[in-house]
Amino acid sequence: MIRRTVPSPAQWRTTLAALLAGALAVGILVGASNARGATAGPVLGECPADLVGRADCYTGRDANGAYYSIALPDDWNGSLVVHAHGGPGLGAESDPGRSVGDLGRWSVMVKEGYAWAGSSYRRGGYGTRMAAADTESVRRLFVDAFGKPRRTYVHGQSWGGNVAAKVVETYGEQRGAYDGALLTNGVLGGGSRGYDYRVDLRVVYQYYCGNHPRPTEPQYPLWQGLRAGSTMTSAGLRARLQECTGYASPPQERTAPQQRNLDDILAVTRIPERALESHLRFATFTFRDIVHERLGGRNPFGNEGVRYSGSHDDEALNAGVERFAPDPTAVRDLSYDSDLTGKVSIPVLTLHAIDDPTAFVEHEAAYRATLQGARRDGHLVQTFTREHEHSELSDAEYATSIAALDAWVRTGRKPTPGSVAASCGAFDATYGTGCFYDPGFRPGPYASRVEPRPGGLRWPAMTAGQEREWSRIEGVGIAP
């Protein structure tokens, strides 16, 4: 099912119907899957509700076992957006519903005339390079089935921003693979530094609360997040957080010790109260995945030398909080997997909520410093909005962003934060979700939000030279 030119929508539908009918017939006769469950190609299915009558939607499973979804709009403009989802989810296998849900969530791209393709990744759990490879896989599947698009853009949000940035560095120099990237509310500090505020939350929480683990339970170093054999659930963790801080209760219903614990934890870690549970969940369950499932029990995290401040008694806090140093090989492997070198050769546009409670806006400062360190910041334009959410921004702004990126690629004229903001009104006339750009905003350095560890002021966190050197080490990084 290969076409090398982009047909008109009418020609495409006639040809595709015949091709899919033949492919499905062959699949029925000879079997359309291998040992990993890969399908022979995209299979026509149902679209999300807001795309019914506006696009054709397909699903499938690639050779590595990753489920994927594809949408082809009726008014296809000939270009493709390849989406890298956030998370990571922690299921053992690829989640067939994830890419379908992502298509619904990012349907604005299809409404704007772009074809869309997204992978669920071959497994849950941490693995940035694995997720980048699976994102590249769905791009190739699209090309094999539907022909080479005029232009291809990679989009990632949250951890997916890290994944998409890794796609840019790993595959962006391949001729004709990707023409530009859109990174929204991205975790762009990389794995070796981007989770330090969650390391701090883990130890500060335990200092004040002492219930994760309780003194009566098996003890383990807190950098593990959670001991390997624990049966704790998210509900159980919420119950302990509530027990200690009363975070889910109205302030007037909290006890005095609960309120003081909550005040101290929030002041020291600078984590917004509304996101406290989600950050602690990551510092528990995702840390366990990183340490036990991906790094063989080795510790990639450290907090030696960090001076905690903002509590009612900083001296006691710093004397009593648990301290630990990372295993250098674990740091290397996490860095190789997820840190960014700044080796960017295509246009990259970022969009970030200034009050993002999950991926702090200072991640953007880390990314700019990374590209500056690699002397590639000429490929970067960063935009910011006065929004307060992490998982979803205004549809008008997503439409504005992909249009600005596309114009940059087509014309070679680099946009400015001001020009992007000025163009949003036309899209908001369609979507009515608002334009909240702040063209004059610039985030402070990453170290202004997160206490740096030794060497943590230099960017990139992993240089291109280190990446080349580490790539020669057998078994380096995180296994797919």
Side-chain angles (χ1 to χ4, degrees):
M1 300 198 307
I2 301 177
R3 290 184 66 95
R4 294 303 176 192
T5 58
V6 177
S8 70
Q11 291 172 325
W12 173 247
R13 263 180 240 306
T14 300
T15 304
L16 182 60
L19 290 171
L20 284 174
L24 291 173
V26 170
I28 292 170
L29 291 172
V30 303
S33 63
N34 63 15
R36 292 298 301 272
T39 57
V43 177
L44 190 63
E46 294 184 2
C47 284
D50 60 343
L51 292 180
V52 171
R54 306 178 68 160
D56 291 329
C57 299
Y58 308 85
T59 58
R61 197 174 190 188
D62 72 13
N64 289 316
Y67 289 98
Y68 62 86
S69 294
I70 290 172
L72 197 72
D74 293 352
D75 58 347
W76 187 27
N77 61 18
S79 293
L80 169 68
V81 172
V82 184
H83 178 71
H85 78 68
L90 297 180
E93 303 294 332
S94 183
D95 176 6
R98 179 61 196 247
S99 60
V100 174
D102 287 340
L103 172 56
R105 182 177 173 190
W106 306 108
S107 61
V108 60
M109 302 297 181
V110 183
K111 293 172 185 176
E112 286 299 303
Y114 294 87
W116 187 97
S119 172
S120 293
Y121 310 150
R122 71 192 72 178
R123 62 159 173 79
Y126 204 84
T128 308
R129 285 182 183 269
M130 173 205 72
D134 291 342
T135 302
E136 166 65 0
S137 172
V138 77
R139 182 195 70 82
R140 294 184 181 186
L141 281 162
F142 182 95
V143 172
D144 288 345
F146 306 128
K148 189 178 186 303
R150 292 192 181 100
R151 286 169 290 276
T152 300
Y153 304 113
V154 61
H155 168 232
Q157 180 146 328
S158 188
W159 180 60
N162 191 180
V163 174
K166 185 66 75 174
V167 168
V168 169
E169 295 187 358
T170 306
Y171 306 103
E173 292 186 346
Q174 295 180 6
R175 184 174 179 82
Y178 297 93
D179 298 282
L182 173 61
L183 313 179
T184 56
N185 279 3
V187 179
L188 301 175
S192 73
R193 299 179 187 173
Y195 307 128
D196 281 344
Y197 49 92
R198 288 165 171 162
V199 174
D200 295 337
L201 171 62
R202 189 67 183 86
V203 298
V204 170
Y205 175 88
Q206 183 65 3
Y207 172 79
Y208 287 112
C209 298
N211 66 2
H212 186 26
R214 301 184 192 279
T216 56
E217 294 175 325
Q219 302 297 294
Y220 54 88
L222 297 180
W223 50 261
Q224 291 184 1
L226 192 62
R227 62 185 178 87
S230 174
T231 58
M232 177 182 282
T233 63
S234 294
L237 181 62
R238 284 195 298 273
R240 296 186 188 214
L241 179 58
Q242 172 67 10
E243 170 191 295
C244 175
T245 67
Y247 82 108
S249 300
Q252 64 271 20
E253 295 180 9
R254 297 169 188 154
T255 67
Q258 284 178 329
Q259 187 64 61
R260 190 171 74 171
N261 288 339
L262 182 61
D263 289 344
D264 279 341
I265 292 168
L266 297 178
V268 173
T269 64
R270 304 179 67 187
I271 287 174
E273 182 174 343
R274 61 197 169 103
L276 179 59
E277 179 198 333
S278 64
H279 283 287
L280 187 60
R281 197 165 58 241
F282 191 104
T284 298
F285 300 109
T286 307
F287 277 16
R288 175 173 65 176
D289 175 79
I290 291 172
V291 169
H292 294 295
E293 301 298 329
R294 313 303 158 200
L295 296 176
R298 292 172 295 145
N299 173 26
F301 305 122
N303 68 336
E304 288 191 339
V306 173
R307 173 71 183 174
Y308 296 108
S309 62
S311 72
H312 76 278
D313 189 342
D314 289 347
E315 184 175 350
L317 170 63
N318 282 282
V321 75
E322 183 173 321
R323 305 277 183 177
F324 38 80
D327 178 329
T329 66
V331 175
R332 177 203 66 196
D333 287 354
L334 183 58
S335 179
Y336 180 77
D337 180 75
S338 58
D339 282 347
L340 301 169
T341 66
K343 189 177 63 177
V344 170
S345 58
I346 59 176
V348 177
L349 177 68
T350 73
L351 173 69
H352 212 116
I354 295 170
D355 192 30
D356 184 339
T358 300
F360 300 152
V361 72
E362 287 81 9
H363 275 275
E364 295 288 341
Y367 191 57
R368 174 167 288 282
T370 295
L371 268 63
Q372 287 173 336
R375 299 182 180 180
R376 302 290 183 95
D377 53 308
H379 295 289
L380 178 65
V381 172
Q382 294 177 301
T383 63
F384 303 93
T385 73
R386 296 180 298 274
E387 290 174 275
H388 311 282
E389 298 301 326
H390 171 69
S391 296
E392 188 173 1
L393 299 173
S394 166
D395 274 358
E397 292 168 353
Y398 288 124
T400 299
S401 297
I402 194 65
L405 178 63
D406 183 60
W408 183 5
V409 169
R410 286 187 293 101
T411 67
R413 292 194 293 271
K414 186 177 180 180
T416 66
S419 69
V420 175
S423 66
C424 184
F427 294 98
D428 196 42
T430 297
Y431 294 101
T433 53
C435 298
F436 307 98
Y437 288 97
D438 185 345
F441 179 80
R442 295 292 182 274
Y446 189 72
S448 70
R449 184 67 178 258
V450 184
E451 186 70 24
R453 277 55 175 169
L457 295 175
R458 295 190 301 272
W459 299 91
M462 173 182 65
T463 66
Q466 284 176 314
E467 184 180 42
R468 286 192 299 271
E469 180 182 345
W470 288 344
S471 70
R472 301 186 184 104
I473 301 172
E474 184 177 358
V476 73
I478 289 176

